[in-house]
Amino acid sequence: MTDITRLSAADLAAELSSGTVSSVEATRAHLDRIAAVDGDVHAFLHVSDHALDVAAEIDRRRSAGDALGPLAGVPLAIKDVLVTTDMPSTSGSRILEGYMSPFDATVVSRARAAGLVPLGKTNMDEFAMGSSTEHSAYGPTHNPWDLERIPGGSGGGSASAVAAFEAPLALGSDTGGSIRQPAHVTGTVGVKPTYGGVSRYGAIALASSLDQVGPVSRTVLDAGLLHDVIGGHDANDSTSLADAWPSFADAAREGARGDVLRGLRVGVIRELPDSGFQPGVSTAFRAALAAMEARGAEIVEISAPHFEYGVAAYYLILPAEASSNLAKFDSVRFGMRVNVPGGTVEDVMAATRDAGFGDEVKRRIILGTYALSAGYYDAYYGSAQKVRTLIQRDFASAFERVDVIATPSAPTTAFKLGEKIDDPLQMYLNDVTTIPANLAGVPGISIPAGLADEDGLPVGIQFLAPAREDARLYRVGAAVESVLVDTWGGPLLDRAPVLGGAR
Ligand code: GLN
């Protein structure tokens, strides 16, 4: 029989519902895989000790004839930014070491209700600040394509878990690219939904006007299946949209078989400079566009003159919101407390925050506090919000002319661990193509586009659509995926190096 861990979530779900594989078998296979490779990859911060019990219960319900959802019995990895009642939730920070939440994030309770089996919590940059997982207080995750390289961030744990076949599906969060950039560097699929499309309740907040939870997977269909489970209105999230969403899995299926690319207008941004993009990234991106063109897509040059100011605006808005969100870690309400004998309450707070937060978190709290302080608010935060409006207008006028916008998902392939850790600006610039979608609230998907010539590492292509048009991204993503996988003669991840001898 084929190795269970190599199956897509959709194929595994089919085996589960036909009874050829049980959820206990599927869960055990993934736990074994984690045991074999995660010492090298370090995708997980915590592995569930009762996943097999959860799986056994799904098997029992299935044999009792209960009506189960399409993903029932399929294992799921959960980014540690999402709170869970049965496993610690640290958000990659020392300040929350061992923290147990009294409630589940909405996306987690929906996943449980749909019968998915939580395998564990995945590593991330502290409070989701970073592009490499090197800012995790618990050590970095390694890229399964090359263990010396970054898996992207902040959701490098979720992306690596899926790329290393430790989990068929994972949950991530994307504030400026933390689902899409890890997908790009690991050869996986990642979706940032429309702002408000997926509940943020129980997602430990980084920047509330930018944060979105979304799916991480190896195929577009799998991402759609998970999105269908987690998405939709949630009264516990005040920014949740009340829309009735179509099935994203159906959209992906339609894209994979239909003629979606014929007549599709694909916008390419004139102002995105070729310089700063690694040559192999540009080449893979253009090859993917050419494959789309050969199937009848029309490539249209569009202007988005404010796109390139996204990073600057983001690094004022994000720290401002983060500094406010992180004020709750005050040594009283959550997590760790450093005692200061004879000290005041302020001394205890200061000592706790000093010991509990890492350098990048402190850097952003200082930046954000400064940007919001009296006398500077208009000059910094106010100006950044104006740039945000200009970027939203760029998108609005572009989407009058095109159906989707395409960009490389990031400017470089996976860089070496340690390479950018001392150069925050270089780290920030890695998100130049992902950040504008968060500023504008529009959805984005990253799918594998190929391997870069110079280093043989994965490159992703990103598609962006107007707000609420997530289904369009699944149709187009699945169409492009099927064209490219045909050209390659199989999925890109089949070419990733063998890890742990277990494959
Ligand atoms: N890399 C970006 C940052 O450091 C994005 C983070 C995210 O999406 N959570 O802020």
Side-chain angles (χ1 to χ4, degrees):
M1 193 186 126
T2 49
D3 179 351
I4 293 173
T5 64
R6 304 291 296 212
L7 297 173
S8 69
D11 289 345
L12 175 56
E15 305 260 357
L16 288 163
S17 68
S18 70
T20 42
V21 172
S22 70
S23 180
V24 165
E25 285 169 318
T27 303
R28 186 173 290 127
H30 286 93
L31 291 172
D32 288 350
R33 177 75 184 158
I34 292 170
V37 304
D38 210 53
D40 289 333
V41 178
H42 192 224
F44 285 88
L45 292 178
H46 181 89
V47 178
S48 171
D49 52 19
H50 50 273
L52 288 170
D53 297 337
V54 175
E57 174 62 11
I58 298 293
D59 288 338
R60 191 199 59 72
R61 287 176 53 199
R62 196 184 300 279
S63 50
D66 283 10
L68 298 172
L71 288 177
V74 174
L76 172 73
I78 300 172
K79 188 178 181 182
D80 209 29
V81 73
L82 298 164
V83 298
T84 45
T85 48
D86 58 342
M87 296 181 275
S89 305
T90 70
S91 208
S93 182
R94 195 62 71 192
I95 213 162
L96 282 177
E97 190 164 9
Y99 174 71
M100 293 300 292
S101 167
F103 67 98
D104 277 327
T106 296
V107 290
V108 172
S109 47
R110 288 186 181 175
R112 291 195 209 276
L116 283 134
V117 179
L119 282 176
K121 305 294 290 284
T122 57
N123 197 15
M124 55 183 283
D125 288 292
E126 185 175 4
F127 290 112
M129 297 179 187
S131 307
S132 69
T133 75
E134 292 168 288
H135 294 308
S136 168
Y138 305 99
T141 296
H142 300 259
N143 189 321
W145 287 80
D146 176 348
L147 295 172
E148 303 291 304
R149 290 179 188 265
I150 60 114
S154 63
S158 282
S160 275
V162 167
F165 300 93
E166 295 172 81
L169 289 172
L171 289 170
S173 68
D174 189 312
T175 305
S178 285
I179 290 176
R180 290 162 289 156
Q181 182 259 12
H184 164 95
V185 295
T186 57
T188 55
V189 173
V191 177
K192 182 203 94 72
T194 294
Y195 184 76
V198 175
S199 172
R200 293 183 293 111
Y201 183 67
I204 297 171
L206 169 53
S208 309
S209 75
L210 302 162
D211 296 344
Q212 249 325 265
V213 176
V216 176
S217 61
R218 291 189 293 262
T219 71
V220 176
L221 172 59
D222 285 1
L225 285 163
L226 184 55
H227 196 160
D228 285 343
V229 167
I230 61 173
H233 184 252
D234 177 16
N236 284 330
D237 173 356
S238 62
T239 58
S240 172
L241 295 171
D243 299 42
W245 299 89
S247 161
F248 301 118
D250 285 350
R253 288 191 190 100
E254 192 187 320
R257 61 166 183 260
D259 213 4
V260 170
L261 297 178
R262 188 146 310 281
L264 183 82
R265 297 165 305 163
V266 182
V268 175
I269 299 172
R270 181 185 311 141
E271 292 84 4
L272 259 195
D274 248 351
S275 64
F277 283 79
Q278 188 181 318
V281 169
S282 299
T283 309
F285 173 64
R286 288 213 196 84
L289 289 181
M292 293 177 75
E293 223 173 353
R295 298 294 189 295
E298 187 194 338
I299 310 298
V300 182
E301 193 172 88
I302 54 158
S303 176
H306 304 96
F307 210 86
E308 59 178 308
Y309 304 115
V311 174
Y314 174 89
Y315 277 98
L316 287 166
I317 294 168
L318 177 135
E321 294 186 16
S323 67
S324 160
N325 278 326
L326 295 180
K328 63 178 165 283
F329 300 103
D330 58 3
S331 77
V332 177
R333 286 174 285 181
F334 302 98
M336 86 187 248
R337 175 179 305 165
V338 175
N339 286 314
V340 181
T344 63
V345 83
E346 280 84 6
D347 294 336
V348 173
M349 281 183 199
T352 301
R353 287 166 69 87
D354 186 27
F357 288 143
D359 288 350
E360 182 63 21
V361 173
K362 288 176 186 159
R363 182 181 293 129
R364 294 197 195 190
I365 289 174
I366 292 168
L367 253 171
T369 308
Y370 183 79
L372 287 179
S373 53
Y376 295 107
Y377 181 92
D378 286 335
Y380 294 116
Y381 191 70
S383 307
Q385 290 290 18
K386 286 180 187 155
V387 173
R388 186 173 191 172
T389 302
L390 294 173
I391 290 173
Q392 285 162 351
R393 287 189 193 150
D394 280 358
F395 274 116
S397 61
F399 286 130
E400 283 171 11
R401 297 185 53 216
V402 297
D403 303 306
V404 293
I405 295 172
T407 74
S409 304
T412 68
T413 57
F415 45 90
K416 289 244 165 74
L417 286 160
E419 196 179 314
K420 297 190 181 176
I421 189 77
D422 296 323
D423 191 346
L425 197 56
Q426 281 310 311
M427 193 76 96
Y428 298 170
L429 286 170
N430 212 258
D431 296 322
V432 62
T433 58
T434 48
I435 279 173
N438 302 79
L439 290 172
V442 304
I445 187 171
S446 177
I447 67 165
L451 301 177
D453 295 331
E454 58 273 7
D455 54 23
L457 292 167
V459 173
I461 182 167
Q462 170 182 240
F463 296 106
L464 305 170
R468 300 183 148 91
E469 294 296 333
D470 306 48
R472 189 183 300 173
L473 293 182
Y474 283 100
R475 271 192 296 275
V476 172
V480 176
E481 173 185 62
S482 75
V483 169
L484 292 178
V485 169
D486 274 355
T487 332
W488 302 328
L492 210 56
L493 273 167
D494 284 356
R495 284 190 257 164
V498 175
L499 274 169
R503 264 195 232 168

